[in-house]
Amino acid sequence: MSKIKSALEAVRRIGDKAVVAVNSSSGLCCPDLVLQALGERYREEGHPRQLTMIHPIAAGDMFGTKGVDHLAQDGLIDTVIGGSYPSGPSSAEPPLIWQMLGENKISAYNVPSGILFDILREAAGKRPGVLTKVGLDTFVDPALDGCAMNDRARSRPIVRRVQFEGDEWLYFPAIAPDVAIIRASTADERGNLTFEHEGAYLGAMELALAAHNSGGTVIAQVKRIAQAGTLRPHDVRVPGILVDIIVEAPDQLQTTATAYDPAISGELFRPLDTFTIPAFDAAKVMARRVAMELESGWAVNIGFGISANVPRILLEEGRHGEITWVIEQGAVGGIPLLDFKFGCSSNAEAFVASPHQFTYFQAGGFDASLLSFLQIGQDGSVNVSKLAVRPHVTAGAGGFVDITARARKIVFSGYFNAGAKLSVADGKLRIDREGKVAKLVPEVDQVSFSGKRATLQNQDVTYVTERCVLKLIEGRLTVTEIAPGVDLKRDILDQAAFPLAVAEPLLSMPADLFLPDRRGRPAVTREAAE
C-alpha cells in the first residue's frame, strides 16, 4: 500500500484528544501544508477536537508562515506545550494562538526547547520522564511559574521539584505523542527522508521515534518524492520504517520568504563580501563591544538581537573564522543569518540534530553565549521571555534556559532603557532624549535567567549596553565601564530603578568603538554599498 497521501488524507489519521508533536522552527522546516489541512478539516468536520500540541520550537511566525495559527480555532486545541511561539512586531495584531492563550481558551506552557526534546526522547525509550537542573530558580521552576503561561495552565501543573540521590531536581513526566508531523526535502516511496534543501534537521528523528514507539503515526511533508532505493543511505536522516504517511508539497519554502538558498543548506559557500555589514550606530557599538569578550578558538552560541550582528563585526574586522558559532537549530560554524532566516547559517561546517545541540548546551560544553535582555533585575536575573504589554513580541524562552543553565560565560546585550534617542558622533555617545521605560528594575517580570543561581555557580556574566558595561560581581550588578560622552550619575545611576555598584577603577569603553572606521578597517563591504 502506498504511503503517499494528500494532506487531507494524512490529517484524517488524527483523532480527538490526540497528542501531536510538530518539528519546526518558525518557518524553518515548518510542515505548513499539513497544518493548514488540519485546520481546514476541523472547520469542515468539527474534528479532531481537544488536541494537545507539542512544539519544541515554534511552528510559524507573523511574516507569512502561519504554522500553529492554522489550528487556533475554538475546540480544536486544548493544550499547547511550546518551547516558543510565533512572534512579531508590537504594532501588529497578536497571532491567534496568543489571543487564545491570553483568553484562557487553551492551557499554554512555555517549556525550554531542550527539555521538550528530552521529554520526547524519554517517551521514545519508554522511560518515565526527565530529571534536570535546567530551569531551577527560573520561570520553569514550580516555585515560580512552573512553565505556565496562563491561569488555565497553572491549574494543571506539568513539572515538579523532586529529591533524588540527595539532590533537588525538576521532574517532567514523559509525553508520548500519538502523531508526529515532520518535514524533509525528499522522501522515497518507502518513506526514507533526506534533508538536502533544509537549513537544519531540528528534532525530526526524535519526534518520529517518539510517535512510532508509542504506537502512533508519523506524517512527513516533503518537497519531492523519489523512486524507492534511489536515495544514498548516508543521506537518510529518518528511515522509512518510522514513516507512515508522505505528503508532497512541491511549493514548500525553505524558510519564511526564502524559496531556496543553497548556502543555507550547505550546498555552496557564499563569498564573504556578500554579507551585509551593519550600519554605524549605537547598536553596532554594542556589537563591537560584545565581540571584545571573545577569544580565538572558542565555540560560541548566539541569540537574536544585538548579538546576532557580532559575526558580521568579526567579518568586518578581519577576525572571521576565529570563532565557531553554534546555534540551537543545529548549525555549527559559518555565519548565522538574520531576519526571516534566523536559525539558519550560511557556510556552515556541520549540521547536527537540535536535541544533540541542546545536550551540548545543557552541560555547558561550549565557551560562551551571546544573548539579549528585556529586563535586568537587581540580583542580575534577566527576563527575555515575557513582555507584559505586548506578549507576542517575544517568542518565549525557546532554548534560552537550556543555554544559560550552565554556560561558563554569558554576555547579555541591549539598550540601557527603552525609548531613548541616541546618536554617536565624534567618538562619543550622545543621549539626545532619555528613555521613559527602565530596563534595569528591582525585580524582572519573569525570571528567564537566575542571577542568584549564576552567582552560586560562579558563572561569568557581563551586560553590554550602549552607555556602559556591567558585570555580576558577588551577586551585585556592577558598572565596570562607561561610554565616552556619558555622565555616570545622570545617565546611568539615576536611570536604573535600583542602586548599582561602581567598580574601582571605573574604566572607559574603548574610544575606537564609537568611530565609524575602527582601527583603519573599512566599514562598508560590496553589498552594504549597494
Side-chain angles (χ1 to χ4, degrees):
M1 181 180 296
S2 174
K3 293 184 176 183
I4 303 167
K5 307 290 182 186
S6 70
L8 184 57
E9 289 173 318
V11 300
R12 290 194 190 282
R13 295 281 293 272
I14 302 174
D16 291 351
K17 298 186 178 180
V19 176
V20 181
V22 180
N23 192 50
S24 180
S25 176
S26 298
L28 177 63
C29 287
C30 186
D32 205 54
L33 182 65
V34 175
L35 297 178
Q36 179 182 351
L38 182 54
E40 290 173 352
R41 180 193 165 199
Y42 182 77
R43 274 191 295 274
E44 294 172 3
E45 302 176 8
H47 293 282
R49 299 184 58 82
Q50 295 184 294
L51 300 182
T52 294
M53 302 299 302
I54 301 177
H55 300 271
I57 314 178
D61 52 41
M62 294 175 63
F63 304 99
T65 302
K66 287 190 69 173
V68 70
D69 248 25
H70 288 298
L71 315 183
Q73 304 174 52
D74 289 348
L76 172 52
I77 298 176
D78 175 79
T79 300
V80 178
I81 304 173
S84 53
Y85 288 73
S87 61
S90 61
S91 57
E93 278 299 303
L96 297 175
I97 199 68
W98 275 102
Q99 295 179 39
M100 291 187 75
L101 74 87
E103 296 167 3
N104 276 297
K105 292 183 176 180
I106 59 174
S107 298
Y109 304 87
N110 188 191
V111 177
S113 296
I115 292 178
L116 265 179
F117 283 125
D118 292 338
I119 287 170
L120 292 167
R121 190 156 42 190
E122 295 306 287
K126 301 292 186 182
R127 295 181 290 267
V130 178
L131 279 177
T132 183
K133 290 185 179 293
V134 171
L136 280 168
D137 298 323
T138 74
F139 76 91
V140 177
D141 196 321
L144 297 177
D145 298 320
C147 298
M149 298 177 72
N150 58 10
D151 291 338
R152 187 171 167 185
R154 275 183 278 276
S155 69
R156 301 159 66 179
I158 62 169
V159 57
R160 63 180 189 267
R161 275 198 185 221
V162 299
Q163 292 289 325
F164 180 74
E165 295 287 345
D167 209 349
E168 199 158 36
W169 301 77
L170 296 182
Y171 174 68
F172 290 83
I175 302 173
D178 301 297
V179 179
I181 305 175
I182 64 178
R183 195 187 97 176
S185 300
T186 304
D188 72 8
E189 295 163 296
R190 294 173 59 84
N192 295 299
L193 305 181
T194 61
F195 287 69
E196 64 274 11
H197 288 174
E198 308 303 322
Y201 311 133
L202 303 178
M205 182 64 175
E206 281 71 14
L207 269 66
L209 271 174
H212 176 83
N213 287 4
S214 303
T217 300
V218 177
I219 301 169
Q221 177 183 310
V222 298
K223 189 173 184 179
R224 56 196 184 182
I225 298 173
Q227 181 181 329
T230 61
L231 300 180
R232 290 179 18 159
H234 276 293
D235 294 339
V236 173
R237 296 292 172 175
V238 180
I241 56 174
L242 302 181
V243 176
D244 300 289
I245 298 173
I246 305 162
V247 175
E248 189 175 14
D251 297 326
Q252 71 182 22
L253 297 176
Q254 191 180 43
T255 69
T256 298
T258 306
Y260 172 59
D261 176 352
I264 286 176
S265 46
E267 296 169 274
L268 62 77
F269 273 30
R270 283 174 54 181
L272 294 180
D273 65 359
T274 65
F275 291 92
T276 302
I277 301 301
F280 180 67
D281 58 11
K284 184 169 185 175
V285 169
M286 285 187 273
R288 285 172 165 178
R289 179 60 187 82
V290 170
M292 291 178 61
E293 294 288 316
L294 305 179
E295 295 184 18
S296 181
W298 276 7
V300 178
N301 165 259
I302 193 168
F304 199 65
I306 299 294
S307 58
N309 272 316
V310 174
R312 294 156 192 265
I313 296 296
L314 297 190
L315 181 62
E316 180 183 26
E317 296 180 356
R319 297 175 59 193
H320 175 69
E322 291 185 11
I323 301 299
T324 301
W325 304 106
V326 287
I327 57 179
E328 64 190 66
Q329 287 78 4
V332 176
I335 299 180
L337 300 179
L338 309 173
D339 303 323
F340 297 128
K341 300 177 183 179
F342 182 75
C344 303
S345 288
S346 282
N347 304 4
E349 297 174 23
F351 295 110
V352 301
S354 196
H356 298 170
Q357 195 83 300
F358 277 117
T359 299
Y360 174 59
F361 292 154
Q362 289 173 348
F366 56 110
D367 295 290
S369 184
L370 314 181
L371 299 164
S372 297
F373 65 83
L374 289 174
Q375 295 173 312
I376 304 172
Q378 188 165 356
D379 66 352
S381 293
V382 166
N383 171 26
V384 74
S385 49
K386 184 178 181 180
L387 186 63
V389 179
R390 299 289 277 175
H392 70 277
V393 173
T394 172
F400 182 95
V401 180
D402 303 283
I403 292 162
T404 57
R406 290 188 179 89
R408 288 170 274 171
K409 180 179 179 65
I410 307 169
V411 184
F412 295 109
S413 57
Y415 291 98
F416 193 90
N417 58 29
K421 183 179 179 183
L422 308 165
S423 56
V424 184
D426 302 321
K428 296 180 180 180
L429 177 73
R430 188 169 64 207
I431 301 170
D432 301 310
R433 185 186 67 238
E434 193 53 85
K436 296 182 179 180
V437 180
K439 296 178 73 173
L440 276 68
V441 295
E443 291 187 8
V444 296
D445 290 343
Q446 185 170 72
V447 180
S448 316
F449 167 78
S450 170
K452 170 187 169 184
R453 193 162 189 83
T455 298
L456 290 173
Q457 296 182 152
N458 293 315
Q459 290 173 284
D460 180 352
V461 186
T462 302
Y463 312 80
V464 173
T465 77
E466 79 284 1
R467 63 188 71 183
C468 66
V469 177
L470 307 103
K471 287 191 73 71
L472 186 59
I473 301 175
E474 296 180 352
R476 293 198 67 187
L477 212 58
T478 304
V479 183
T480 58
E481 297 177 27
I482 185 171
V486 168
D487 181 83
L488 175 65
K489 182 177 186 305
R490 182 191 66 219
D491 300 327
I492 297 173
L493 302 182
D494 289 351
Q495 297 303 317
F498 59 85
L500 295 170
V502 180
E504 182 61 45
L506 176 63
L507 303 177
S508 177
M509 294 172 70
D512 64 355
L513 299 177
F514 297 83
L515 298 172
D517 295 335
R518 188 182 182 208
R519 297 173 185 157
R521 296 187 178 97
V524 180
T525 65
R526 186 178 70 197
E527 184 173 325
E530 292 173 353

